[in-house]
């Protein structure tokens, strides 16, 4: 698997390169947004780890340009900012996942593996349904009544988790543990961000299925 790191903090870029090489990944590392975009446009990478704040071109513009050129390589955005609006902007611009700095290296590795899997491995059973919706976890597509929309990996994982638990109520802690892992630094507002994205997408496909907030408990599908 080939990973591109775009990070201007040289210490961090070096540490990540060493870490990923230890995992037998092929790693290229560049230190500004323009160089990052140039490399990424080659389309040869399985995963791109992209810093948000970069010289010459910021991470969001790198992704926008990349997606505009039809390159759909999964991107994990690193962000020093913990503000929810930056995460939303990052995800809206086409990032598949984000990780606030400082992050746990194990968590980054887990996310790289998850995004890499989406490209490489064949998952035999990828479709599931609930009410009037259909989720394809392989193509990351949500459909209802002939309309479909693509999901990010996390959105798909969240919806899959909700679907497999039927009418059970899932707490934010359960969702965090499932999607980001037990030791992760993910907070409950991560969950809120993804729930709000999914709600918008359910609405977009015209589904009557809803993610219902059970006050003080969590979320369930209705
Ligand atoms: Ca930076």
């Amino acid at each position: 698997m080939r990973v591109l790191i775009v990070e201007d903090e040289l210490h961090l870029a070096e540490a990540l390169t060493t870490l990923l090489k230890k995992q037998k990944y092929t790693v290229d590392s560049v230190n500004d947004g323009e160089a990052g975009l140039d490399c990424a446009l080659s389309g040869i990478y399985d995963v791109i780890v992209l810093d948000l704040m970069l010289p010459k071109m910021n991470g969001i513009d790198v992704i926008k340009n990349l997606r505009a050129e039809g390159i759909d390589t999964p991107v994990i955005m690193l962000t020093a900012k913990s503000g929810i609006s930056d995460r939303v902007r990052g995800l809206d611009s086409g990032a598949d996942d984000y990780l606030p700095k400082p992050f746990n290296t194990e968590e980054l590795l887990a996310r790289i593996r998850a995004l890499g899997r989406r490209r490489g491995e064949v998952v035999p059973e990828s479709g599931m349904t609930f009410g009037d919706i259909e989720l394809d976890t392989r193509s990351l597509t949500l459909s209802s009544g002939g309309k479909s929309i693509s999901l990010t990996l996390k959105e798909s994982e969240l919806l899959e988790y909700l679907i497999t638990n039927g009418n059970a109520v899932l707490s934010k802690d359960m969702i965090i543990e499932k999607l980001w892992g037990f030791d992760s630094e993910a907070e409950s507002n991560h969950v809120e961000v993804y729930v709000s994205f999914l709600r918008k997408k359910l609405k977009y496909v015209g589904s009557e299925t809803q993610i219902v907030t059970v006050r003080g408990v969590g979320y369930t599908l209705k």
Side-chain angles (χ1 to χ4, degrees):
M1 191 152 93
R2 187 179 274 260
V3 180
L4 174 65
I5 297 169
V6 190
E7 169 59 73
D8 61 314
E9 284 168 51
L10 297 181
H11 270 321
L12 181 56
E14 237 167 72
L16 287 177
T17 303
T18 309
L19 177 79
L20 292 174
K21 282 187 172 163
K22 257 190 208 155
Q23 309 290 316
K24 309 287 179 213
Y25 294 138
T26 308
V27 184
D28 293 320
S29 171
V30 292
N31 310 118
D32 68 68
E34 278 178 14
L37 179 61
D38 277 350
C39 290
L41 283 172
S42 68
I44 61 172
Y45 297 98
D46 298 294
V47 175
I48 298 168
V49 179
L50 178 65
D51 191 27
L52 172 62
M53 302 299 283
L54 287 165
K56 295 190 183 172
M57 184 187 290
N58 70 44
I60 287 179
D61 288 338
V62 171
I63 297 188
K64 280 187 180 159
N65 280 289
L66 198 60
R67 299 301 186 233
E69 294 296 325
I71 306 284
D72 65 350
T73 310
V75 172
I76 301 176
M77 183 162 277
L78 301 180
T79 164
K81 299 183 173 180
S82 55
I84 205 162
S85 62
D86 285 302
R87 295 174 188 175
V88 171
R89 275 203 311 145
L91 292 164
D92 268 353
S93 67
D96 299 85
D97 203 352
Y98 66 88
L99 200 52
K101 290 178 186 173
F103 51 84
N104 174 299
T105 53
E106 284 304 317
E107 189 185 359
L108 177 66
L109 288 175
R111 292 184 187 204
I112 289 175
R113 278 194 300 273
L115 288 178
R117 261 204 296 280
R118 180 177 138 188
R119 288 218 126 185
E121 279 174 28
V122 176
V123 184
E125 277 184 38
S126 59
M128 51 178 69
T129 56
F130 181 96
D132 61 355
I133 58 170
E134 200 176 311
L135 169 68
D136 188 323
T137 55
R138 191 155 130 204
S139 63
L140 303 177
T141 309
L142 167 67
S143 319
S144 181
K147 239 182 150 183
S148 0
I149 188 167
S150 17
L151 302 179
T152 65
L153 180 65
K154 285 287 174 218
E155 288 167 355
S156 171
E157 286 177 354
L158 173 58
L159 188 56
E160 180 181 357
Y161 191 36
L162 285 163
I163 289 175
T164 46
N165 283 278
N167 295 314
V169 178
L170 301 177
S171 71
K172 285 182 180 173
D173 285 344
M174 288 163 73
I175 293 171
I176 288 172
E177 193 182 327
K178 177 78 178 176
L179 269 69
W180 287 278
F182 194 60
D183 295 326
S184 89
E185 309 268 321
E187 298 149 25
S188 62
N189 61 9
H190 288 52
V191 177
E192 286 160 22
V193 168
Y194 284 97
V195 166
S196 78
F197 284 155
L198 267 181
R199 281 180 173 149
K200 278 188 201 149
K201 292 187 172 179
L202 284 167
K203 210 169 174 185
Y204 175 85
V205 294
S207 168
E208 297 200 348
T209 304
Q210 288 184 356
I211 302 173
V212 179
T213 306
V214 182
R215 201 169 288 263
V217 189
Y219 299 99
T220 189
L221 276 184
K222 281 258 159 67

